[in-house]
């Protein structure tokens, strides 16, 4: 039960939303209908298809009536509708080819009106909806393709080339469906002298071309007969046949040709019958009969064109033979033919396109549809209530067919429902006391020249109700008073009348809320007065309303607008927009530059609000002031003489008496770039610097000092190197912002020279230059003097050669010493290893005790090579001493000791040092102590060399000391460190240590 109640509530809500839609809204319904069906074929149901039935109750649907509006559509006569069920059926058998000849789509349009009965008055109907119905007539394959003629005769010259095409007209199928139209052509027989070709024309038609496949020979065969079959794609498939007779004739080798491939003309639709439209022209290069030709329509031109136009066969003039109507046809396009008079005539075709210009020769047509229950309306009917609807049409096009409609009179208006369909509604309230009956006249006119119009009328009867409001004699009252007025001053007197009688016609006045604060009105006389003094500057124009009401029931009211204008008094002083104006102007400008503009305002009007500017004290002759505009200009100013000007200005209005005010003006004189920069360093007394060639890249060697007495950006300086002599542009660079002179690259010995740098300083306008001498030296105390061209490079090459030779000799000497020492030690080791026996643990201890006697193992081998350049060399170079020291070491796979006794990783190498001063290397002697030997023994216990060394130490063999002297080249000592793990005698005597091989004794030299 509850579910049914919810359903009913939903239907009521849907009905309410549906009924809120405007009566005139167009709802379009579209149907498809196959042609050639019997009368009363079902098309559709309006109530169901538009969802009207789903959105109203059955009771409301039963009170609706449906009607086809036959006055607004010529297609409405083909259909009928049941006024209750809304079912649409066909009124006759519809033939698409008759209704829409040669049209791709065939759509029939008409309108269905839905009227709704008033539930209180069953005989009173109101327009509820209008539906636009569109029925698309679908094509049926009920026509076979047909040729213009069942038999065609063609002539062909025997001299035509292969692939020559003989033209003939294609077939026509009135059906327009995708498959129902012509789909193919075939030629029978298909393998003879001719082939078939389809040619599409610009007018949409199809020409057939018989293509000559082989060379023709009239003497062999002068006649051919073929059949062309046209088939459509419908079901069942239909076809048409044309018999083509082809005659081969002798040569007439020039055909007449038109001077234009296409002729265009435009004529108005009121073109007189028999008057020329255009004239064709052609030429034929042949002579006599073969060169004479006649004009005619092409055989494919339809009869409807021949009914309108004719062609003069000799002059080529095309003229009208009957009236042409733009509404009937807007454009005519057809083929014309020119044919010579040869024995075998030749012809050619051209297209003629004639556009018909519309002439406004049709007046709009008006068809009115009234309510079924009459035209009686209460005078209280609301504005916008529906009265009637009407449809208009005009056969003309463009502006000639554009229609504008109106309702004559002030009580009714029209609203467009959709294109050319309108409804008449109440525009303003009806008044029974004024008029009991209204003659409603609808007037429609087109926009053509000359303009045509038409009218249609119907009568509305007004039923009386109490509906008159008080009416003011004026919709707006205008008044003017002076501002600062005294209270209770009279502004205006308003008056309203009421056509009703008795109390309903008695009028009382009262103020509207928008004026009650400042104004008051007498309730019976209508005199309006002001309550207080008013100020024009606050509100120059005041708008407010006065109301009037009658004493009827219900009470009716109305209002009128009063526009009060306040006239001005000079009660305001002109004021500058700022009490202090600050301006900035650049010095030394010509032609009176503008400094700025003074701005002031005066809320008064007229002369009271007009004002002028002037100087007050102090006055400066450097400035000029435009009294009217406040534009301030300056003469020639000099910032160095005066930087700021302060003076007063006044503004005075033109009132009586005049009023004025004062303001301060400050003008700041801005600097112009009119001074040159000044270079402080370098100068004529300080312009030389010395720099060693070893100075690193990017080092700052000097700083340019300069200044500019201008201000701001005018005093910003930039620095650059203008010139370098001798030219080495990549040797120096300069910081443009700081003036720092910087070494731009890594210098070499050959860069040593004396350079003259021209340095530039600029401030954007002016540039100053200064010289700086830069001398690149070899050392701190050596300066390269002037050199002859090329001498510097020669000296450098000599120095490099000497250094290379010295290095090579040093390496050779060191290598020789290392080899001799290695061979000598190897021999001694082999000789004495045979005499040594295994050292037991006690002898090891003895060796450890006695090893303290060996305090150092050291060798030194020194070689000095000194050289200097001859005095003839142009370069003064300090003495260079090459001191080379070498050291040899015992290579241990684990660690080595440096000369100071500290543990180091890896080998300690020999070194070669090249310096400017003599170097003496005093290498400290490092002693091989007992502890070191013991440690070495633990790590190299099986080395015969160690055993020999221990044995000699135990015996105090003096050879050990001699070996010390022989090994004085050693600059590093070799030792091992105890790993801390310890070991037993068995471990020591087990020979698990690795004997030191000969290869483990190395001499490494680094040069």
């Amino acid at each position: 039960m509850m579910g049914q109640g919810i359903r009913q509530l939903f239907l009521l809500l849907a009905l309410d939303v549906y009924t809120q839609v405007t009566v005139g809204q167009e709802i379009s319904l579209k149907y498809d209908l196959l042609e050639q069906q019997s009368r009363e074929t079902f098309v559709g149901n309006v109530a169901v298809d538009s969802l009207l039935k789903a959105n109203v109750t059955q009771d409301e649907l039963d009170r609706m009536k449906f009607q086809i509006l036959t006055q607004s559509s010529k297609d409405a006569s083909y259909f009928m509708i049941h006024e209750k069920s809304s079912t649409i059926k066909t009124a006759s058998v519809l033939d698409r080819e008759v209704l829409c000849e040669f049209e791709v789509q065939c759509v029939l349009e008409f309108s269905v009106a839905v009227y709704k009965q008033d539930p209180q008055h069953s005989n009173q109907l109101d327009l509820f909806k209008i539906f636009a119905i569109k029925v698309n007539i679908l094509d049926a394959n009920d026509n076979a393709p047909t040729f213009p003629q069942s038999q065609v005769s063609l002539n062909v010259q025997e001299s035509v080339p292969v692939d020559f095409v003989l033209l003939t007209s294609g077939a026509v199928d009135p059906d327009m469906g995708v498959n129902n139209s012509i789909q193919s052509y075939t030629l029978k027989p298909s393998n003879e002298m001719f082939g078939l070709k389809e040619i599409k024309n610009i007018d949409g038609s199809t020409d057939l071309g018989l293509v000559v496949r082989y060379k023709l020979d009239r003497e062999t065969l002068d006649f051919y007969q073929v059949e062309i079959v046209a088939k459509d794609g419908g079901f069942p498939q239909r076809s048409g046949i044309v018999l083509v007779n082809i005659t081969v004739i002798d040569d007439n080798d020039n055909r007449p040709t038109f001077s234009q491939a296409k002729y265009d003309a435009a004529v108005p639709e009121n073109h007189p019958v028999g008057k020329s439209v255009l004239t064709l022209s052609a030429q034929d290069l042949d002579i006599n009969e073969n060169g004479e030709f006649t004009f005619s329509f092409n055989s494919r031109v339809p009869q409807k064109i021949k009914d309108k136009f004719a062609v003069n066969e000799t002059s080529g003039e095309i003229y009208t033979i009957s009236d042409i109507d733009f509404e009937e046809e807007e454009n005519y396009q057809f083929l014309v033919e020119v044919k010579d008079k040869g024995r075998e005539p030749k012809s050619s075709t051209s297209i003629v396109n004639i556009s018909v210009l519309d002439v406004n020769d049709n007046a709009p047509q008006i068809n009115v549809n009234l309510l079924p229950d009459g035209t009686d309306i209460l005078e209280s009917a609301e504005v916008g209530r529906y009265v009637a609807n009407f449809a208009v049409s005009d056969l003309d096009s463009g502006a000639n067919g554009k229609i504008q409609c109106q309702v004559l009179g002030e009580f009714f208006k029209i609203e467009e429902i959709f294109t050319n369909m309108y409804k008449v509604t109440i525009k303003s309230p009806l008044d029974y006391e004024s008029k009991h009956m209204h003659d409603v006249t609808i007037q429609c006119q087109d926009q053509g020249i000359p303009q045509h119009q038409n009218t249609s009328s119907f009568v509305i009867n007004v039923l009386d109700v109490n509906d008159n409001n008080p009416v003011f004699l004026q919709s707006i009252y205008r008044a003017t008073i002076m501002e600062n007025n005294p209270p209770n001053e009279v502004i205006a007197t308003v008056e309203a009348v009421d056509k009703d009688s008795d109390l309903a016609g008695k009028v009382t006045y009262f103020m509207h809320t928008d004026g009650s604060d400042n104004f008051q009105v007498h309730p019976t006389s209508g005199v309006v007065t002001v309550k207080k003094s008013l100020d024009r500057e606050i509100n120059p124009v005041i708008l407010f309303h006065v109301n009037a009401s009658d004493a009827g029931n219900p009470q009716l009211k109305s209002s009128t607008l009063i526009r009060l204008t306040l006239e001005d008094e000079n009660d305001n002083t002109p004021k500058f927009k700022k009490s202090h104006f600050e301006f900035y102007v650049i010095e030394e400008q010509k032609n009176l530059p503008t400094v700025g503009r003074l701005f002031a305002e005066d809320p008064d009007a007229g002369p009271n609000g007009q004002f002028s500017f002037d100087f007050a004290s102090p006055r400066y002759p450097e400035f000029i002031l435009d009294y009217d505009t406040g534009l301030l200009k300056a003469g020639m100013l000099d910032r160095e003489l005066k930087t700021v000007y302060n003076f007063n200005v006044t503004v005075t209005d033109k009132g009586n008496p005049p009023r004025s005010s004062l303001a301060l003006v400050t003008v700041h004189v801005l600097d112009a770039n009119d001074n040159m920069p000044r270079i402080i360093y370098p100068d004529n007394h300080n312009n030389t610097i010395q720099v060693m060639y070893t100075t690193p890249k990017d080092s700052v060697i000097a700083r340019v000092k300069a200044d500019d007495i201008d201000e701001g950006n005018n005093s910003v300086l930039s620095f650059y190197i203008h010139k370098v002599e001798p030219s080495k542009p990549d040797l120096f660079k300069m910081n443009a912002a700081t003036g720092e002179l910087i070494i731009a690259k890594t210098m070499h010995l050959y860069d040593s020279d004396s350079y003259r740098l021209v340095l530039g300083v600029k401030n954007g306008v002016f540039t100053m230059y200064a010289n700086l001498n830069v001398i690149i030296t070899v050392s701190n105390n050596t300066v390269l003097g002037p050199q002859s061209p090329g001498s510097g490079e020669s000296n450098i090459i000599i120095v490099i050669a000497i250094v290379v030779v010295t290095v090579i000799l040093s390496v050779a000497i060191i290598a020789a010493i290392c080899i001799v020492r290695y061979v000598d030690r190897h021999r001694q080791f082999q000789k004495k290893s045979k005499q040594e026996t295994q050292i037991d643990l006690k002898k090891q201890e003895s060796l450890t005790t006695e090893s303290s006697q060996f305090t150092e193992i050291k060798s030194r081998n020194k070689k000095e090579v000194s050289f200097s350049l001859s005095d003839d060399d142009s370069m003064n170079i300090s003495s260079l001493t090459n001191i080379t020291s070498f050291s040899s070491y015992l290579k241990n796979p684990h660690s080595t000791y440096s000369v100071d006794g500290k543990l180091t990783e890896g080998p300690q190498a020999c070194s070669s040092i090249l310096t400017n001063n003599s170097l003496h290397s005093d290498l400290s002697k490092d002693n091989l102590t007992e502890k070191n030997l013991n440690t070495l023994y633990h790590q190299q216990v099986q080395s015969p060399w160690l055993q020999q060394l221990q044995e000699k130490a135990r015996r105090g063999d003096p050879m050990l000391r001699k070996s010390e002297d022989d090994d004085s080249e050693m600059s590093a000592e070799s030792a091992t460190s105890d790993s801390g793990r310890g070991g037993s005698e068995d471990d020591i005597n087990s020979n698990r240590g690795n004997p030191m091989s000969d290869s483990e004794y190395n001499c490494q030299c680094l040069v």
Side-chain angles (χ1 to χ4, degrees):
M1 192 68 179
M2 181 177 293
Q4 183 176 0
I6 294 174
R7 180 175 178 274
Q8 290 177 354
L9 178 60
F10 175 81
L11 290 176
L12 289 175
L13 290 174
L15 176 61
D16 181 69
V17 172
Y18 187 83
T19 54
Q20 293 301 317
V21 180
T22 307
V23 171
Q25 180 179 355
E26 177 186 359
I27 299 177
S28 179
L29 299 178
K30 298 180 180 180
Y31 300 96
D32 291 334
L33 179 67
L34 187 65
E35 67 170 330
Q36 297 295 345
Q37 297 194 65
S38 61
R39 183 178 180 272
E40 295 188 2
T41 297
F42 176 82
V43 177
N45 186 282
V46 174
V48 174
D49 299 335
S50 66
L51 302 181
L52 177 64
K53 185 175 181 180
N55 288 279
V56 300
T57 63
Q58 185 61 40
D59 178 66
E60 289 180 307
L61 186 63
D62 292 337
R63 288 188 286 106
M64 292 183 182
K65 291 184 179 181
F66 300 82
Q67 177 187 22
I68 294 178
L69 303 178
T70 58
Q71 296 88 345
S72 61
S73 174
K74 62 179 181 180
D75 300 329
S77 60
Y78 302 126
F79 301 90
M80 57 185 177
I81 189 170
H82 191 280
E83 69 174 3
K84 299 301 291 181
S85 67
S86 76
T87 298
I88 301 175
K89 297 181 179 180
T90 57
S92 61
V93 177
L94 303 181
D95 188 349
R96 187 184 185 281
E97 285 70 34
V98 175
L99 296 174
C100 308
E101 184 179 6
F102 302 116
E103 294 184 11
V104 177
Q105 286 191 337
C106 183
V107 178
L108 304 182
E109 299 181 5
F110 58 95
S111 298
V112 172
V114 182
Y115 299 99
K116 185 177 179 182
Q117 283 184 345
D118 190 337
Q120 306 298 330
H121 306 86
S122 58
N123 60 345
Q124 184 173 352
L125 296 178
D126 193 1
L127 179 67
F128 181 71
K129 286 287 180 185
I130 293 180
F131 295 95
I133 310 298
K134 296 182 180 181
V135 181
N136 182 27
I137 306 301
L138 303 177
D139 184 46
N141 192 24
D142 55 344
N143 293 280
T146 57
F147 288 89
Q149 297 174 333
S150 61
Q151 185 171 332
V152 176
S153 295
L154 299 176
N155 296 327
V156 59
Q157 202 76 18
E158 64 174 332
S159 61
V160 298
V162 175
D163 294 331
F164 180 81
V165 178
L166 294 173
L167 294 177
T168 185
S169 300
V172 177
D173 192 334
D175 294 323
M176 298 301 290
V178 176
N179 296 321
N180 296 336
S181 59
I182 297 173
Q183 301 296 312
S184 64
Y185 290 91
T186 56
L187 181 68
K188 295 181 181 180
S190 60
N191 57 353
E192 293 294 331
M193 180 63 73
F194 299 92
L196 185 62
K197 179 181 180 181
E198 295 184 37
I199 302 172
K200 296 293 184 181
N201 293 318
I202 58 176
D203 61 353
S205 62
T206 301
D207 282 345
L208 300 179
L210 294 174
V211 183
V212 177
R213 300 173 60 187
Y214 308 100
K215 184 65 178 176
L216 295 174
D217 186 3
R218 189 191 63 80
E219 287 73 23
T220 301
L221 186 63
D222 62 352
F223 181 80
Y224 297 89
Q225 190 175 64
V226 295
E227 283 186 348
I228 299 175
V229 180
K231 296 180 180 180
D232 63 22
F235 182 83
Q237 190 178 51
R238 299 177 183 272
S239 62
I241 300 175
V242 62
L243 182 65
V244 182
N245 298 317
I246 304 172
T247 302
V248 182
I249 60 176
D250 281 335
D251 289 344
N252 176 17
D253 56 350
N254 287 292
R255 68 176 62 244
T257 58
F258 283 97
S259 60
Q260 298 176 221
K262 184 179 180 182
Y263 291 85
D264 291 296
V267 294
E269 61 177 327
N270 58 356
H271 187 81
V273 175
K275 186 176 180 180
S276 174
V277 176
L278 61 89
T279 300
L280 306 173
S281 61
Q283 63 177 0
D284 193 327
L285 299 178
D286 294 326
I287 60 174
N288 300 326
E289 290 184 354
N290 292 334
E292 298 176 0
F293 49 82
T294 59
F295 299 96
S296 63
F297 286 116
N298 186 271
S299 60
R300 295 189 299 274
V301 173
Q303 188 60 40
K304 69 176 184 177
I305 293 179
K306 294 179 180 180
D307 292 340
K308 298 293 183 181
F309 303 95
V311 180
N312 188 308
E313 66 177 11
T314 57
S315 66
E317 181 183 55
I318 298 178
Y319 55 93
T320 57
I321 58 176
S322 64
D323 292 329
I324 55 177
D325 189 355
F326 174 84
E327 288 72 33
E328 179 182 335
E329 191 73 37
E330 298 180 9
N331 184 270
Y332 295 93
Q333 190 174 68
F334 52 89
L335 296 175
V336 291
E337 184 176 81
V338 59
K339 182 183 296 184
D340 63 25
K341 296 181 180 180
R343 185 181 61 180
E344 298 171 355
K346 287 182 176 287
S347 64
S348 61
T349 59
S350 180
I351 299 173
V352 175
N353 185 73
I354 300 176
S355 299
V356 181
L357 304 179
D358 185 34
V359 176
N360 193 19
D361 56 350
N362 293 283
Q365 300 299 314
I366 305 171
N367 296 293
V368 179
N369 296 289
L370 299 175
L371 287 171
D373 57 349
T375 58
D376 292 341
I377 300 176
L378 293 174
E379 66 170 337
S380 60
E382 67 277 8
V383 172
R385 177 182 171 82
Y386 169 82
V387 175
N389 69 78
F390 65 94
V392 294
S393 61
D394 194 323
L395 297 178
D396 293 322
S397 65
N400 297 332
K402 187 176 181 181
I403 305 171
Q404 289 184 347
C405 297
Q406 62 180 348
V407 175
L408 301 181
E410 59 179 336
F411 294 98
F412 301 94
K413 65 178 181 179
I414 61 172
E415 297 178 9
E416 188 174 21
I417 302 175
F418 48 86
T419 304
N420 290 339
M421 175 66 76
Y422 301 87
K423 66 177 180 178
V424 181
T425 61
I426 297 175
K427 178 182 179 182
S428 58
L430 304 177
D431 188 4
Y432 175 82
E433 289 77 15
S434 301
K435 197 171 185 179
H436 302 333
M437 183 178 64
H438 293 271
D439 187 2
V440 182
T441 301
I442 301 171
Q443 183 184 74
C444 296
Q445 58 188 15
D446 59 28
Q447 305 302 305
I449 300 175
Q451 198 173 57
H452 289 275
Q453 69 177 20
N454 201 352
T455 60
S456 180
S457 301
F458 58 91
V459 175
I460 295 294
N461 296 316
V462 181
L463 304 179
D464 184 38
V465 293
N466 184 18
D467 62 345
N468 287 291
N469 290 355
V471 177
F472 283 94
L473 299 184
Q474 295 178 227
S475 60
I476 180 171
Y477 289 83
R478 304 177 187 274
T480 301
I481 62 173
M482 187 70 68
E483 68 172 329
N484 304 319
N485 58 281
N488 298 320
E489 183 174 349
V490 176
I491 296 175
T493 300
V494 298
E495 184 180 359
V497 296
D498 193 327
K499 294 182 180 180
D500 293 326
S501 59
D502 299 328
L503 293 177
K506 186 178 180 180
V507 178
T508 302
Y509 305 98
F510 61 97
M511 291 300 302
H512 192 275
T513 55
D514 59 4
S516 58
D517 292 340
N518 296 323
F519 306 96
Q520 58 189 3
V521 61
H522 192 276
T524 57
S525 66
V527 175
V528 181
T529 56
V530 63
K531 290 182 178 181
K532 58 185 178 180
S533 179
L534 303 176
D535 188 354
R536 190 202 67 84
E537 284 71 36
I538 297 177
N539 197 351
V541 177
I542 302 175
L543 301 176
F544 62 95
H545 292 81
V546 175
N547 296 334
S549 64
D550 60 22
N553 188 14
Q555 193 177 46
L556 301 178
K557 302 176 183 179
S558 63
S559 65
T560 186
L561 176 66
I562 296 181
R563 188 179 193 277
L564 177 61
T565 302
L566 300 180
E567 294 185 348
D568 184 55
E569 287 184 353
N570 191 20
D571 54 350
N572 291 280
T573 300
K575 294 182 179 179
F576 286 99
K577 289 192 175 181
K578 294 190 293 185
S579 61
H580 183 196
F581 291 88
E582 284 193 271
F583 301 116
Y584 296 85
V585 62
I586 299 175
E587 66 174 329
E588 297 186 358
Q589 295 190 69
K590 300 179 181 179
N591 301 323
L592 298 176
T594 298
V595 176
R597 185 185 295 273
L598 305 176
F599 293 96
E601 58 186 359
D602 191 331
D604 290 327
N608 297 331
Q610 299 174 2
F611 48 80
S612 60
F613 301 92
D614 198 356
F615 287 109
S617 61
R619 290 176 177 264
Y620 290 99
E622 292 89 343
F623 298 98
I624 299 173
L625 178 61
D626 189 310
Y627 298 144
D628 294 326
T629 64
L631 188 66
L632 183 63
K633 295 185 177 182
M636 186 66 69
L637 303 177
D638 190 346
R639 186 190 66 86
E640 285 72 25
L641 297 179
K642 191 173 181 64
T643 59
V644 178
Y645 292 86
N646 289 294
F647 53 88
N648 293 318
V649 291
T650 62
V651 60
T652 306
D653 64 23
K654 298 180 182 180
N656 187 16
R659 292 173 176 266
S660 63
S661 61
L662 190 70
L664 175 64
V665 176
T666 299
V667 178
H668 299 270
V669 182
L670 302 179
D671 182 50
N673 195 1
D674 55 350
N675 291 283
M676 291 186 291
R678 179 172 66 99
I679 299 178
I680 302 172
Y681 172 80
D683 56 17
N684 293 333
H685 305 289
N686 186 9
N687 60 0
T688 302
I689 61 172
Q690 293 185 6
V691 181
M692 289 188 63
Y693 81 95
T694 57
T695 301
K697 177 186 176 182
D698 294 329
S699 297
V700 177
I701 62 175
R703 184 190 302 271
V704 177
K705 295 182 179 180
D707 60 11
D708 191 325
I709 64 173
D710 288 323
E711 290 183 340
N713 292 333
N714 297 331
S715 64
V716 175
L717 304 178
S718 61
F719 305 85
Y720 68 98
I721 300 175
H722 179 69
K723 187 177 182 182
V724 178
E725 293 180 352
S727 177
K728 278 195 178 182
D730 59 342
L731 186 56
F732 305 99
K733 63 181 179 179
M734 177 163 281
N735 188 313
T738 64
E740 293 176 340
L741 182 63
I742 303 170
I743 299 299
K745 69 172 188 176
T746 301
M747 294 190 294
H748 301 282
L749 191 61
Y750 53 78
D751 289 320
S752 300
D753 203 347
S754 178
Y755 299 92
R756 185 176 73 89
L757 278 66
V758 180
L759 307 179
V761 180
K762 57 184 178 181
N763 62 2
V765 177
F766 303 101
T767 304
M768 295 297 291
Y769 299 94
N771 294 328
L772 179 65
N773 298 316
V774 180
I775 302 174
I776 308 298
T777 65
V778 175
S779 65
N780 290 333
N781 54 3
T782 303
V783 180
L784 294 180
Q787 300 176 1
S788 61
S791 63
E793 295 180 359
S794 299
N795 294 337
I796 292 172
I797 293 173
I798 292 172
V799 172
I800 293 174
I802 292 174
V803 171
V804 171
V805 170
T806 302
V807 172
I808 293 173
L809 290 175
S810 300
V811 172
I813 292 171
I814 294 169
I817 293 173
C818 290
I819 293 172
V820 170
R821 300 293 294 173
Y822 172 75
V823 172
D824 183 61
R825 289 181 181 277
H826 185 65
R827 288 175 181 174
Q828 290 179 7
F829 171 74
Q830 288 180 342
K831 180 179 179 181
K832 294 183 179 182
S833 63
K834 296 177 183 180
Q835 301 174 1
E836 299 295 328
T837 59
Q838 177 119 17
I839 301 175
D840 56 12
L841 183 58
K842 293 181 180 180
K843 290 181 180 181
Q844 176 184 344
E845 294 174 355
S846 175
L847 176 62
T848 304
T849 304
E850 294 177 0
S851 63
S852 61
Q853 298 174 5
F854 301 96
T855 59
E856 68 179 36
I857 299 175
K858 177 181 179 186
S859 65
R860 178 177 301 169
N861 185 14
K862 180 189 303 180
K863 181 174 183 179
E864 298 182 0
V865 181
S866 301
F867 63 93
S868 63
L869 299 178
S870 63
D871 295 335
D872 296 336
D873 198 318
S874 61
M875 297 175 58
N876 292 327
I877 306 176
S878 62
S879 299
L880 301 175
T881 303
N882 185 15
I883 301 174
T884 307
S885 66
F886 303 89
S887 65
S888 302
Y889 61 89
L890 292 175
K891 181 178 180 181
N892 187 290
H894 302 289
S895 61
T896 61
Y897 280 82
S898 64
V899 294
D900 58 359
K902 295 181 180 179
L903 180 64
T904 60
E905 292 296 326
Q908 298 296 316
C910 303
S911 63
S912 175
I913 304 171
L914 176 62
T915 181
N916 289 333
N917 300 309
S918 297
L919 301 176
H920 300 281
S921 175
D922 292 332
L923 301 175
S924 62
K925 298 180 179 181
D926 298 326
N927 297 325
L928 282 174
T929 63
E930 181 181 358
K931 180 180 179 181
N932 293 337
L933 289 174
N934 285 336
T935 304
L936 180 64
Y937 174 79
H938 282 294
Q939 294 189 0
Q940 303 286 345
V941 66
Q942 294 300 325
S943 174
W945 181 81
L946 275 178
Q947 295 175 3
Q948 179 184 357
L949 184 62
Q950 290 173 336
E951 183 64 25
K952 286 183 179 183
R954 186 169 59 250
R955 294 197 304 266
D957 194 337
M959 290 299 292
L960 183 60
R961 179 62 59 187
K962 182 179 180 181
S963 178
E964 257 184 50
D965 297 336
D966 294 337
D967 296 339
S968 61
E969 295 173 352
M970 303 263 308
S971 63
E973 79 181 6
S974 174
T976 59
S977 61
D978 191 352
S979 65
R981 294 175 294 174
S984 66
E985 292 182 0
D986 295 335
D987 293 335
I988 297 173
N989 296 324
S990 65
N991 295 328
R992 286 183 295 178
N994 294 323
M996 181 183 292
S997 64
D998 293 341
S999 61
E1000 290 179 329
Y1001 178 78
N1002 297 314
C1003 177
Q1004 296 188 6
C1005 300
L1006 300 178
V1007 179

